[in-house]
Amino acid sequence: MTDNTPDTEQRPALVVDFGAQYAQLIARRVREAGVYSEIVPHTATAAEIAARNPVALILSGGPSSVYEEGAPELDPAVFELGVPTLGICYGFQYMARTLGGEVANTGLREYGATDAAIPANESSLLSGQPVAQNVWMSHGDQVSRAPEGFEVLASTGATQVAAFADEERRLYGVQWHPEVKHSDHGQEIIENFLHKGAGLAADWNSGNVIAEQVERIRAQVGDARVISAMSGGVDSAVSTALVHRAIGDQLTAVFVDHGLLRKGEREQVERDFVAATGVRLITVDAADTFLGHLAGVTDPETKRKIIGREFIRAFEQVQRDLVEEAKASGEKVRFLVQGTLYPDVVESGGGAGTANIKSHHNVGGLPDDLDFDLIEPLRTLFKDEVRAIGRELGIPEAIVGRQPFPGPGLGIRIIGEVTRERLDILREADAIAREELTLAGLDQTIWQCPVVLLADVRSVGVQGDGRTYGHPVVLRPVSSEDAMTADWTRLPYDVLAKISNRITNEVREVNRVVLDVTSKPPATIEWE
């Protein structure tokens, strides 16, 4: 399988990743400022960066000390490219040290909310900002001396050089993290750098993607036939609708019902999605096959592999049927649509220093020997951008606004063996939780709320004046912007109480509801 997804023609602002947990967040903030952005590893050479023709560079933070052996480095020639550059935290320190300044460990650390002093100045970066403001710090080293030609713009109680600028060379840096919402004027700093320092217009938005991708997909596909792998989730729904907008009936969507879906999801895809888009949809009912292979299996990774393998087998059978159908009419099925997003690319090892954190929450994982070229129209986008495109394409809000859901489905939300009975229990509990969150108007507040069935655990309860040994379920409400990091959502107590009461009253096999209050890291969002 070859990836023929065209690169965007938009000149990007490049975020150079030094191993930061916030690199994606920086890229998102740049896009929110109306400038297209992408992430590149710090190992990229100056020539490779220059070949991307960037309009600006932002050097991310990172966990290392710049003077340690083996610390991440960037080709120093990057600073001679004449590209406007902003350094953040580690990137700020690396810029200072590389250009002749000094970085030291003074024993004074700053973590979390910190008061910064910003004297009146004329810099593009901080001019007009409040003299005193609260910023978010995370560092143990300090820039003790700015490089020659740089003006010091800010300080804190522990850091005398907390921001600097060389306006002539359009080089800027801040010790704090402007990309996080805890920094009072963080987004304003990023916008100042892009619009004033780099002189860029705010002329990019996710809506531009539709017209651009429609044109490219048509040029790429020609008169060939295309298959789309539908999961019922936001990503595959939007990618399918976007390709259908471009080529119409040349596209066939394939929806594999593995029996691990949430309540009502199959009907939602078959009825609402098809009605809104007009896509030709083939549904494969493979629940019995999947559950047969999952019988007796409790290991999470084994479950994932079985589900991925059986998805491939079901998809391959449909693929063979469609290929034969196309041959009969003198056509060829040449392309496969997948709903890959930018975080998928990064989190699955799409850059130096990134960790392959998951064997993949999205079913994805189709075999390399399928004779298709890939169409991945969302490959450069974040989830919120995908939702915006979906709304413009007319996809029902029930699909576009739905919570992220893993490809292996409820199979990885049952701790223990996956059986039809346990799936029915979890479906009902999950449906109640989602319904109450919607009624409380909290769908836009949380990222998602997985409900987990502890199938191999029994807890003592009292129901109807009798002693019971039922299953516990876990509520896992989390807040996040891209799922790379997450915090547990502080849901109102009355909402939690209503969810708990309804589940224990309406789902006979459940007698206890517990709340997961762990952030990511150290935990992941899903339990398995």
Side-chain angles (χ1 to χ4, degrees):
M1 230 179 335
T2 12
D3 179 3
N4 283 345
T5 305
D7 291 331
T8 179
E9 294 175 0
Q10 185 88 30
R11 291 180 60 195
L14 296 179
V15 178
V16 178
D17 185 5
F18 282 107
Q21 61 174 321
Y22 293 136
Q24 285 197 52
L25 186 55
I26 297 170
R28 286 172 52 85
R29 295 290 181 249
V30 173
R31 294 188 186 190
E32 288 170 9
V35 176
Y36 179 70
S37 64
E38 292 182 3
I39 301 171
V40 295
H42 66 87
T43 51
T45 65
E48 289 169 337
I49 288 176
R52 301 290 296 276
N53 200 17
V55 293
L57 297 175
I58 299 182
L59 313 184
S60 82
S64 304
S65 292
V66 294
Y67 47 76
E68 288 179 347
E69 184 177 351
E73 295 183 349
L74 178 66
D75 185 347
V78 166
F79 296 110
E80 305 303 321
L81 295 176
V83 179
T85 302
L86 171 67
I88 294 175
C89 194
Y90 182 93
F92 167 65
Q93 295 173 4
Y94 186 83
M95 177 188 292
R97 192 165 188 259
T98 302
L99 297 178
E102 293 180 1
V103 177
N105 187 333
T106 63
L108 299 174
R109 300 180 177 185
E110 291 177 312
Y111 294 99
T114 305
D115 292 325
I118 302 175
N121 64 82
E122 299 300 320
S123 75
S124 301
L125 197 65
L126 300 179
S127 63
Q129 291 215 353
V131 172
Q133 58 181 268
N134 196 257
V135 300
W136 191 260
M137 291 285 198
S138 182
H139 69 104
D141 300 326
Q142 287 83 21
V143 175
S144 54
R145 181 174 62 82
E148 186 176 346
F150 281 77
E151 176 189 2
V152 176
L153 304 177
S155 62
T156 69
T159 305
Q160 290 305 301
V161 184
F164 59 37
D166 182 335
E167 291 288 352
E168 184 177 344
R169 290 191 286 174
R170 297 188 295 177
L171 300 176
Y172 309 89
V174 291
Q175 179 59 69
W176 63 90
H177 286 273
E179 72 273 20
V180 302
K181 292 181 178 178
H182 306 295
S183 291
D184 287 346
H185 298 273
Q187 184 64 13
E188 185 179 336
I189 290 172
I190 291 173
E191 291 177 2
N192 282 349
F193 165 67
L194 295 169
H195 305 318
K196 296 179 180 179
L200 303 175
D203 58 2
W204 185 87
N205 61 71
S206 56
N208 300 344
V209 174
I210 296 177
E212 177 185 296
Q213 285 295 332
V214 163
E215 181 180 341
R216 290 180 174 185
I217 291 165
R218 286 173 178 165
Q220 182 183 5
V221 169
D223 59 359
R225 294 272 295 274
V226 179
I227 300 176
S228 177
M230 280 279 292
S231 70
V234 179
D235 309 339
S236 65
V238 174
S239 59
T240 299
L242 183 52
V243 173
H244 184 261
R245 171 72 63 89
I247 61 172
D249 290 342
Q250 291 171 243
L251 173 72
T252 300
V254 178
F255 175 51
V256 177
D257 181 358
H258 47 32
L260 309 171
L261 300 170
R262 293 185 292 188
K263 189 174 182 178
E265 285 185 321
R266 175 169 173 171
E267 295 79 6
Q268 194 177 69
V269 172
E270 292 181 322
R271 183 188 63 234
D272 300 341
F273 179 76
V274 171
T277 62
V279 169
R280 178 195 179 196
L281 179 72
I282 295 175
T283 300
V284 181
D285 190 343
D288 290 343
T289 301
F290 276 79
L291 291 177
H293 286 286
L294 287 169
V297 178
T298 59
D299 177 69
E301 196 61 22
T302 304
K303 288 183 192 177
R304 288 180 180 276
K305 289 177 179 177
I306 289 172
I307 295 167
R309 182 193 71 209
E310 293 307 313
F311 178 88
I312 290 167
R313 288 177 176 174
F315 189 87
E316 283 180 323
Q317 181 57 55
V318 177
Q319 174 238 340
R320 285 191 289 268
D321 294 343
L322 289 173
V323 167
E324 290 304 314
E325 177 187 302
K327 281 181 182 177
S329 58
E331 299 172 308
K332 183 178 181 182
V333 180
R334 284 188 50 207
F335 296 95
L336 172 68
V337 180
Q338 284 192 291
T340 308
L341 302 194
Y342 200 37
D344 296 331
V345 176
V346 175
E347 193 165 276
S348 296
T354 60
N356 191 346
I357 295 171
K358 54 192 179 185
S359 56
H360 224 286
H361 288 343
N362 301 315
V363 169
L366 293 171
D368 291 335
D369 57 0
L370 283 181
D371 188 20
F372 291 129
D373 290 340
L374 283 182
I375 300 174
E376 296 178 305
L378 311 178
R379 188 179 176 85
T380 62
L381 300 179
F382 291 100
K383 180 74 79 173
D384 58 333
E385 297 166 340
V386 171
R387 293 190 199 277
I389 290 170
R391 293 184 177 102
E392 290 193 40
L393 290 169
I395 298 175
E397 186 63 30
I399 295 176
V400 171
R402 66 177 291 190
Q403 298 176 8
F405 189 58
L410 298 179
I412 59 169
R413 292 183 179 175
I414 293 175
I415 310 303
E417 181 185 6
V418 178
T419 67
R420 197 177 298 275
E421 179 188 10
R422 289 173 172 183
L423 284 166
D424 289 341
I425 295 169
L426 182 53
R427 272 194 198 96
E428 293 304 317
D430 174 83
I432 290 169
R434 288 188 290 132
E435 182 180 331
E436 290 301 328
L437 290 171
T438 299
L439 289 173
L442 295 170
D443 285 341
Q444 303 306 313
T445 301
I446 66 170
W447 172 261
Q448 62 175 310
C449 183
V451 178
V452 181
L453 176 66
L454 304 184
D456 289 342
V457 175
R458 293 278 183 168
S459 65
V460 178
V462 178
Q463 292 171 301
D465 294 328
R467 192 178 180 88
T468 63
Y469 291 94
H471 295 291
V473 296
V474 180
L475 303 181
R476 174 72 165 132
V478 293
S479 300
S480 181
E481 291 193 317
D482 50 30
M484 297 294 284
T485 60
D487 193 11
W488 68 279
T489 308
R490 277 66 168 172
L491 294 177
Y493 288 153
D494 59 335
V495 175
L496 288 171
K498 194 164 188 182
I499 292 172
S500 176
N501 288 340
R502 281 197 59 192
I503 289 176
T504 52
N505 285 334
E506 298 175 32
V507 186
R508 182 176 55 83
E509 299 85 353
V510 176
N511 66 357
R512 192 178 298 269
V513 177
V514 299
L515 181 67
D516 183 344
V517 294
T518 320
S519 63
K520 175 187 178 180
T524 55
I525 292 176
E526 299 291 346
W527 272 48
E528 289 199 342

